[in-house]
Amino acid sequence: MRKEIKTLVYDEELRLEAYRFEGIGRPFPNHFHDYYVIGFIEQGKRRLWYRNREYAIGPGCVLLFNPGDTHACVQTDGGTLDYRGFNIATEIMLDLAEEITGKRALPGFSPAVLCDEEVSCYLRPLHDLVMNGFLEFGKEESLLLMLSLLMQRYGQPFEYCIPECREEIEQACAFMEEHAAERISLDQICRQAGLSKSTLLRAFTKSKGVTPYCYLESLRIGRAKKLLEQGASPMEAALQTGFSDQSHFTNYFTRFIGVTPGAYRDIFLKSSGTGGEGQASP
């Protein structure tokens, strides 16, 4: 069986994460991120579920996920997945969008799956430059050119790409965001939303694409990432973000991010302003 290799680099100059997953056979459960994801499939065929729609994806496909977009995927060809991608925080995307368009407004990308050779011609070389620690301005140039093309062809105002939600579901989300670091119950969420448990679960999953608990755990993972980037230990990150214990935190973090909390933290400790690299297997 091919060994899984996961490599993650944080580029201090571009202020984004680049990562490469090789030999991945496991599925990715339904989840979302609070940042933009731009990815490229090198090898492997998968079934992708995105906002409750299904796509067949394979080599050459470019993936575009907006913050909050729910997605999941599973291997379909009996092989493994080789995948490279970028994670771009919303505040960084705001800066980039203003540089490109002159307007400080978040873009919303659609559709989520592209087969665009010109985009790929920018994405793959840029990814290599970041992963190899390239320091010249050609790296920034490539990023701006790639995003300019994506915004021109597939961008629209971000709010148009956000699925409509009932007011009750938004109240439930706001409550979880405010109390994510605490131990909260389904009863509390239902009281805030004014819905029964069964109605909340059906309406929330239909609206967000994930259950309330998965939504809460994804919020916690996003906040834990920020703490680890600032040098917090995995134990501190687990305690400050509401996980019941470090083992639960480690298992959940590794499942969704692809590397352990400790390996993720080490990437930023090693970067020292020049970018760092880490590899981990499950």
Coordinates of all heavy atoms in Angstrom, one line a residue, residues 164-207:
E164 N -29.0 30.8 1.0 CA -29.9 31.4 1.9 C -30.2 30.5 3.1 O -30.2 29.3 3.0 CB -31.2 31.7 1.1 CG -31.1 32.7 0.0 CD -32.4 33.0 -0.6 OE1 -33.4 32.5 -0.1 OE2 -32.4 33.8 -1.6
C165 N -30.4 31.2 4.2 CA -30.6 30.4 5.5 C -31.8 31.0 6.2 O -32.0 32.3 6.2 CB -29.4 30.5 6.4 SG -27.9 29.8 5.7
R166 N -32.6 30.2 6.8 CA -33.7 30.7 7.7 C -33.1 31.5 8.8 O -32.0 31.2 9.3 CB -34.5 29.5 8.1 CG -35.3 28.8 7.0 CD -36.0 27.6 7.5 NE -36.7 27.9 8.8 CZ -37.3 26.9 9.5 NH1 -37.1 25.7 9.2 NH2 -38.0 27.3 10.6
E167 N -33.8 32.4 9.3 CA -33.4 33.2 10.5 C -33.1 32.4 11.7 O -32.1 32.6 12.4 CB -34.5 34.3 10.8 CG -34.1 35.2 11.9 CD -35.2 36.2 12.2 OE1 -36.1 36.3 11.4 OE2 -35.1 36.9 13.3
E168 N -33.9 31.3 11.9 CA -33.6 30.5 13.1 C -32.3 29.8 13.0 O -31.6 29.6 14.0 CB -34.7 29.4 13.2 CG -36.1 30.0 13.5 CD -36.9 30.5 12.3 OE1 -36.3 30.6 11.2 OE2 -38.1 30.7 12.4
I169 N -31.9 29.4 11.8 CA -30.6 28.7 11.6 C -29.4 29.7 11.9 O -28.4 29.3 12.5 CB -30.5 28.1 10.2 CG1 -31.6 27.1 10.0 CG2 -29.1 27.4 10.0 CD1 -31.7 26.0 11.0
E170 N -29.6 30.9 11.4 CA -28.6 31.9 11.6 C -28.4 32.2 13.1 O -27.3 32.4 13.6 CB -28.9 33.2 10.9 CG -28.7 33.1 9.4 CD -27.4 32.6 9.0 OE1 -26.4 33.0 9.6 OE2 -27.2 31.9 8.0
Q171 N -29.5 32.1 13.9 CA -29.5 32.3 15.3 C -28.7 31.2 16.0 O -27.9 31.4 16.9 CB -30.9 32.5 15.9 CG -31.6 33.7 15.5 CD -33.1 33.8 15.9 OE1 -33.6 32.7 16.3 NE2 -33.7 34.9 15.8
A172 N -29.0 30.0 15.5 CA -28.3 28.8 16.0 C -26.8 28.9 15.7 O -25.9 28.7 16.6 CB -28.8 27.5 15.4
C173 N -26.4 29.4 14.5 CA -25.0 29.5 14.2 C -24.3 30.6 15.0 O -23.2 30.4 15.5 CB -24.8 29.9 12.7 SG -25.3 28.6 11.6
A174 N -25.0 31.7 15.2 CA -24.5 32.8 16.1 C -24.2 32.3 17.5 O -23.2 32.7 18.1 CB -25.4 34.0 16.0
F175 N -25.2 31.5 18.0 CA -25.0 31.0 19.4 C -23.8 30.1 19.5 O -23.0 30.2 20.4 CB -26.3 30.3 19.8 CG -26.2 29.7 21.2 CD1 -26.3 30.4 22.3 CD2 -25.9 28.3 21.3 CE1 -26.2 29.9 23.6 CE2 -25.8 27.7 22.6 CZ -26.0 28.5 23.7
M176 N -23.6 29.2 18.5 CA -22.4 28.3 18.5 C -21.1 29.1 18.4 O -20.1 28.8 19.0 CB -22.6 27.3 17.5 CG -23.6 26.2 17.8 SD -23.6 24.8 16.6 CE -24.6 25.5 15.3
E177 N -21.1 30.1 17.5 CA -19.9 30.9 17.3 C -19.5 31.7 18.6 O -18.4 31.8 19.0 CB -20.1 31.9 16.2 CG -20.2 31.3 14.8 CD -20.7 32.2 13.8 OE1 -20.9 33.4 14.0 OE2 -20.9 31.7 12.6
E178 N -20.5 32.1 19.4 CA -20.3 32.9 20.6 C -19.8 32.0 21.7 O -19.0 32.3 22.6 CB -21.5 33.6 21.0 CG -21.3 34.5 22.3 CD -22.6 35.3 22.7 OE1 -23.6 35.2 21.9 OE2 -22.6 35.9 23.7
H179 N -20.3 30.7 21.7 CA -20.1 29.8 22.9 C -19.3 28.6 22.4 O -19.3 27.5 23.1 CB -21.4 29.4 23.5 CG -22.2 30.5 24.0 ND1 -22.0 31.1 25.2 CD2 -23.2 31.2 23.5 CE1 -22.8 32.0 25.5 NE2 -23.6 32.1 24.4
A180 N -18.5 28.7 21.3 CA -17.8 27.5 20.8 C -16.8 26.9 21.8 O -16.5 25.7 21.8 CB -17.1 27.9 19.5
A181 N -16.2 27.8 22.6 CA -15.2 27.3 23.6 C -15.8 26.6 24.8 O -15.1 26.1 25.7 CB -14.3 28.4 24.0
E182 N -17.1 26.7 24.9 CA -17.8 26.1 26.1 C -18.5 24.8 25.7 O -18.6 24.4 24.5 CB -18.9 27.1 26.6 CG -18.4 28.5 26.8 CD -19.6 29.5 27.0 OE1 -20.7 29.0 27.3 OE2 -19.3 30.7 26.8
R183 N -18.9 24.1 26.7 CA -19.6 22.8 26.5 C -21.1 23.2 26.4 O -21.7 23.7 27.3 CB -19.5 21.9 27.7 CG -20.2 20.5 27.5 CD -19.9 19.6 28.6 NE -20.5 18.3 28.4 CZ -20.4 17.3 29.2 NH1 -19.7 17.4 30.3 NH2 -21.1 16.1 28.9
I184 N -21.7 23.1 25.2 CA -23.0 23.4 25.0 C -23.8 22.2 24.5 O -23.3 21.2 24.0 CB -23.2 24.6 23.9 CG1 -22.5 24.2 22.6 CG2 -22.5 25.8 24.4 CD1 -22.6 25.2 21.5
S185 N -25.1 22.3 24.7 CA -26.0 21.2 24.4 C -26.9 21.5 23.2 O -27.1 22.6 22.9 CB -26.8 20.8 25.6 OG -27.8 21.8 25.9
L186 N -27.5 20.4 22.7 CA -28.5 20.6 21.6 C -29.7 21.3 22.1 O -30.3 22.1 21.4 CB -28.8 19.2 21.0 CG -29.7 19.2 19.8 CD1 -29.0 19.9 18.6 CD2 -30.0 17.8 19.3
D187 N -30.1 21.1 23.4 CA -31.2 21.8 24.0 C -31.0 23.3 24.0 O -31.9 24.1 23.6 CB -31.4 21.3 25.4 CG -32.1 20.0 25.5 OD1 -32.9 19.7 24.6 OD2 -31.8 19.2 26.4
Q188 N -29.8 23.7 24.3 CA -29.4 25.2 24.3 C -29.6 25.8 22.9 O -30.1 26.9 22.8 CB -28.0 25.4 24.9 CG -27.9 25.1 26.4 CD -26.5 25.2 26.8 OE1 -25.6 24.5 26.4 NE2 -26.2 26.2 27.7
I189 N -29.0 25.1 22.0 CA -29.1 25.6 20.6 C -30.5 25.7 20.1 O -30.9 26.7 19.5 CB -28.3 24.7 19.6 CG1 -26.8 24.6 20.1 CG2 -28.4 25.1 18.2 CD1 -26.0 23.6 19.3
C190 N -31.3 24.7 20.4 CA -32.7 24.7 20.0 C -33.5 25.8 20.7 O -34.4 26.5 20.0 CB -33.4 23.3 20.4 SG -32.9 22.0 19.4
R191 N -33.2 26.1 22.0 CA -33.9 27.2 22.6 C -33.5 28.5 22.0 O -34.4 29.4 21.8 CB -33.5 27.2 24.1 CG -34.2 26.2 24.9 CD -34.1 26.5 26.4 NE -32.7 26.5 26.9 CZ -32.1 25.5 27.4 NH1 -32.8 24.3 27.4 NH2 -30.9 25.5 27.8
Q192 N -32.3 28.7 21.6 CA -31.8 29.9 20.9 C -32.5 30.1 19.5 O -32.9 31.2 19.1 CB -30.3 29.9 20.7 CG -29.5 30.1 22.0 CD -29.8 31.4 22.7 OE1 -29.8 32.5 22.0 NE2 -29.9 31.4 24.0
A193 N -32.7 28.9 18.8 CA -33.3 29.0 17.5 C -34.8 29.0 17.5 O -35.5 29.3 16.6 CB -32.8 27.8 16.7
G194 N -35.4 28.5 18.7 CA -36.8 28.4 18.8 C -37.4 27.3 18.0 O -38.5 27.3 17.4
L195 N -36.6 26.2 17.8 CA -37.0 25.0 17.0 C -36.9 23.8 17.9 O -36.1 23.7 18.8 CB -36.1 24.9 15.8 CG -36.1 26.0 14.8 CD1 -35.1 25.7 13.7 CD2 -37.5 26.2 14.1
S196 N -37.7 22.7 17.5 CA -37.5 21.4 18.2 C -36.2 20.8 17.6 O -35.7 21.2 16.6 CB -38.7 20.5 17.8 OG -38.7 20.2 16.4
K197 N -35.8 19.8 18.3 CA -34.6 19.1 17.9 C -34.6 18.5 16.5 O -33.7 18.7 15.7 CB -34.2 18.0 18.9 CG -33.8 18.5 20.3 CD -33.4 17.4 21.2 CE -33.0 17.9 22.6 NZ -32.7 16.8 23.6
S198 N -35.7 17.8 16.3 CA -35.8 17.2 15.0 C -35.9 18.2 13.8 O -35.3 18.1 12.8 CB -37.1 16.3 14.9 OG -38.3 17.0 15.2
T199 N -36.7 19.3 14.1 CA -36.8 20.4 13.1 C -35.5 21.1 12.9 O -35.1 21.3 11.7 CB -37.9 21.4 13.5 OG1 -39.1 20.7 13.6 CG2 -38.0 22.5 12.4
L200 N -34.7 21.3 14.0 CA -33.4 22.0 13.8 C -32.5 21.1 13.0 O -31.8 21.6 12.1 CB -32.9 22.3 15.2 CG -31.4 22.8 15.2 CD1 -31.4 24.2 14.8 CD2 -30.7 22.6 16.6
L201 N -32.4 19.8 13.3 CA -31.5 19.0 12.6 C -31.8 18.9 11.2 O -30.9 19.0 10.3 CB -31.5 17.6 13.3 CG -30.9 17.5 14.7 CD1 -31.1 16.1 15.2 CD2 -29.5 17.9 14.7
R202 N -33.0 18.8 10.8 CA -33.4 18.7 9.4 C -33.1 20.0 8.7 O -32.5 20.1 7.6 CB -34.9 18.3 9.2 CG -35.2 16.9 9.6 CD -36.6 16.5 9.1 NE -37.6 17.4 9.5 CZ -38.4 17.3 10.6 NH1 -38.1 16.2 11.4 NH2 -39.3 18.1 10.9
A203 N -33.6 21.1 9.3 CA -33.4 22.4 8.7 C -32.0 22.9 8.6 O -31.5 23.4 7.6 CB -34.2 23.5 9.4
F204 N -31.2 22.6 9.7 CA -29.8 23.0 9.7 C -29.0 22.3 8.6 O -28.2 22.8 7.9 CB -29.2 22.8 11.1 CG -27.9 23.5 11.3 CD1 -27.9 24.6 12.1 CD2 -26.7 23.0 10.9 CE1 -26.7 25.3 12.3 CE2 -25.5 23.6 11.1 CZ -25.5 24.8 11.8
T205 N -29.2 20.9 8.6 CA -28.4 20.1 7.6 C -28.8 20.5 6.2 O -27.9 20.6 5.3 CB -28.7 18.6 7.9 OG1 -28.4 18.3 9.2 CG2 -27.9 17.8 7.0
K206 N -30.0 20.8 5.9 CA -30.4 21.2 4.6 C -29.8 22.5 4.2 O -29.4 22.7 3.1 CB -32.0 21.3 4.5 CG -32.5 21.7 3.1 CD -34.0 21.7 3.1 CE -34.5 22.2 1.7 NZ -36.0 22.2 1.7
S207 N -29.8 23.5 5.2 CA -29.3 24.8 4.9 C -27.7 24.8 4.8 O -27.2 25.5 3.9 CB -29.7 25.7 6.0 OG -29.1 27.0 5.9

